[in-house]
Amino acid sequence: MQTERAPSAAKASVKPNLSFWQIWNMSFGFLGIQYGFGLQQANMSPIYRYLGADESSIPGLWLAGPLTGLLLQPIIGAVSDRSWSPTWGRRKPFVLAGALIGSIAMILMPNSSSIWMAAGLMWMLDAGLNSAMEPFRAFVGDMLNDKQRPTGFAVQSFFVGFGQTLANVMPYILPLIGISMVVSESQLANGIPNSVRYPFYIGGASILIAVFWTMRTTKEYPPVDDDYKKAHVFTDEEKKSISFWHLALTVGAAILAFCFAFNAGGLANGAKWGLGILAGGYLVLMLPVFKEVLASLSSMPTVMKQLWWVKFFTWYGLPLMWQFLSLAVAKYAFNAPNATSNPAGFEAGTKWGGLCFAMFSISCAIISIFIPRIAKMLGSARATHALFLCLGAVGFFLTLTSNDKMIYLVGMSIIGLAWGSIMSMPYLMLAGAVPKERMGVYMGIFNGFICVPQFIGMLTVPLFYKTLLGDDPRNALVLAGVCMLAAAASCFLVKESRTA
């Protein structure tokens, strides 16, 4: 493969076109990151169930993802905006650090001996993957001109699909190359089979290999001037914004902590955690790096504010897919509501769920090639995104039509089309509206729009899972479909310019 380097003369006001392989190499590390996310998304709910977690508690156990994303991505964006090394570049050091942390967590995860060990490792895994992912989003804004940004986000969307496909078909590939999926009783001390164990080990290596390739083949543009070294001087308006968001986020985090802890251990436990987060959050948000993030919230581009509801409904619904798809397949297609009542059926259902996620990812990879053309044909980024979100809703609703395992395969293939758009179109709509010198922090905040809806979902879904959703994982998928329709309608709140 060609390993061209990006031009080093970045002082030109107009960025030159990069070759396809330069864009490919720049995004290749995303493949390893998405392999890790694919394993997490398809396997964490079954791992929690293998370790004895109650089904209704699973949304809360997924708390690590949104929390680490909410905290880390804006920080990394802000810090990387103001950093530069002639040897390492601007974004690449953060990519490497995140890859190392994520790889260690991947290797340790299938050896978890308890629910809380798995939950702790999931925090570590999410911290690593989120730390590495945000700089890849900023790469597209840093290194590509307006004309090539659709291609950049489409290539990243392709790697999302391809990486997650590899993760989900790995239990089927390993036996073909001579790795046995059969284990002895001593190897099953924690109940996690080799069909889950080995893909995680491979994931630890793949993250590092893919990231090292990007670091080796990609050279970032140096700063145009030394302004990035200067400490930001806050205006009076920004100081007011900092004070407002400091208080609002601290109180909001304390309320969420109270609610989660109250559900887990009663009033005293809730009060302890709520007050602890209130005090700790207030002190942490006083750090200089947070002040810059908080100040940026007041000057968000208008398009970014308008995209909030699109992201809210999308990411309230999508986690339900990762949390409950494999459980719904096992329950309805393999007659295995849990790992205890029918162990063989539950493992088969988990593997089939992985195959469904593979089809989901294949659809994403394929459609990402055509999304820029479809958007150009429709003449509207928001209409394109709304169309694909509606298709995703249809895929979720299909799961109600039959108990046959094939219906889940078809439904997830359709949902994968929406996933390709989710991974590219909102970022494309935003990228042109963000000041280039603050690309990192705004991309980090925008990814925070993914996290907040997940917090709300994790807090609220357990409250009505056994009543409104009938204690049924398949009904959770239907709710995800309803959310996709709401997100599609919200697309038309976004005012797009002719250039967008």
Side-chain angles (χ1 to χ4, degrees), residues 12-87:
S13 58
V14 178
K15 298 170 186 174
N17 286 336
L18 302 186
S19 72
F20 173 78
W21 290 116
Q22 287 175 309
I23 298 174
W24 175 279
N25 291 335
M26 180 183 79
S27 299
F28 190 76
F30 214 58
L31 173 64
I33 302 303
Q34 293 304 320
Y35 182 100
F37 273 122
L39 285 177
Q40 180 198 73
Q41 291 160 0
N43 291 287
M44 282 312 301
S45 287
I47 284 175
Y48 285 139
R49 291 290 271 160
Y50 279 123
L51 296 171
D54 181 73
E55 194 170 280
S56 63
S57 69
I58 285 176
L61 292 170
W62 280 73
L63 179 64
L67 183 58
T68 53
L70 183 64
L71 292 175
L72 284 177
Q73 293 198 36
I75 295 174
I76 290 170
V79 173
S80 62
D81 280 345
R82 297 192 172 279
S83 63
W84 172 256
S85 165
T87 302

Side-chain angles (χ1 to χ4, degrees), residues 1-8 18-30 87-89 92 95 136 139 143 155 159 208-221:
M1 183 182 292
Q2 184 178 355
T3 58
E4 299 179 55
R5 290 178 178 269
S8 59
L18 302 186
S19 72
F20 173 78
W21 290 116
Q22 287 175 309
I23 298 174
W24 175 279
N25 291 335
M26 180 183 79
S27 299
F28 190 76
F30 214 58
T87 302
W88 295 97
K92 290 192 292 185
V95 173
F136 277 105
F139 266 154
M143 302 182 66
V155 170
F159 279 132
L208 290 178
I209 292 171
V211 164
F212 277 131
W213 180 265
T214 286
M215 297 195 68
R216 174 67 181 84
T217 59
T218 301
K219 184 176 181 180
E220 296 182 75
Y221 291 137

Side-chain angles (χ1 to χ4, degrees), residues 60-227:
L61 292 170
W62 280 73
L63 179 64
L67 183 58
T68 53
L70 183 64
L71 292 175
L72 284 177
Q73 293 198 36
I75 295 174
I76 290 170
V79 173
S80 62
D81 280 345
R82 297 192 172 279
S83 63
W84 172 256
S85 165
T87 302
W88 295 97
R90 168 169 284 136
R91 315 291 181 185
K92 290 192 292 185
F94 300 93
V95 173
L96 178 60
L100 290 170
I101 294 170
S103 295
I104 294 170
M106 291 288 288
I107 293 170
L108 295 177
M109 180 66 75
N111 298 296
S112 300
S113 58
S114 67
I115 295 171
W116 295 112
M117 180 178 177
L121 287 171
M122 189 173 175
W123 282 73
M124 181 177 173
L125 176 61
D126 264 297
L129 297 182
N130 276 294
S131 297
M133 185 174 70
E134 194 281 334
F136 277 105
R137 295 295 190 195
F139 266 154
V140 176
D142 288 343
M143 302 182 66
L144 299 181
N145 55 39
D146 290 345
K147 181 180 178 181
Q148 288 196 307
R149 279 176 183 165
T151 302
F153 285 120
V155 170
Q156 287 193 351
S157 185
F158 171 81
F159 279 132
V160 169
F162 188 50
Q164 294 184 352
T165 299
L166 287 178
N168 292 313
V169 301
M170 200 56 67
Y172 298 90
I173 294 176
L174 294 179
L176 299 179
I177 59 176
I179 297 178
S180 174
M181 295 291 99
V182 179
V183 293
S184 64
E185 288 296 323
S186 61
Q187 291 175 297
L188 271 174
N190 62 358
I192 300 174
N194 278 353
S195 58
V196 174
R197 191 179 301 269
Y198 283 127
F200 272 82
Y201 295 157
I202 294 171
S206 67
I207 291 172
L208 290 178
I209 292 171
V211 164
F212 277 131
W213 180 265
T214 286
M215 297 195 68
R216 174 67 181 84
T217 59
T218 301
K219 184 176 181 180
E220 296 182 75
Y221 291 137
V224 175
D225 49 43
D226 290 335
D227 286 349

Side-chain angles (χ1 to χ4, degrees), residues 321 324-325 328-329 332-333 356 392-415 472-481:
M321 175 185 69
F324 293 106
L325 185 279
V329 173
Y332 285 99
C356 291
V394 171
F396 281 116
F397 295 150
L398 275 179
T399 61
L400 271 182
T401 63
S402 173
N403 289 345
D404 189 276
K405 63 182 182 181
M406 293 303 297
I407 201 67
Y408 292 94
L409 208 61
V410 173
M412 288 298 285
S413 299
I414 297 173
I415 297 166
D472 189 336
R474 190 165 61 177
N475 288 341
L477 301 180
V478 174
L479 176 59

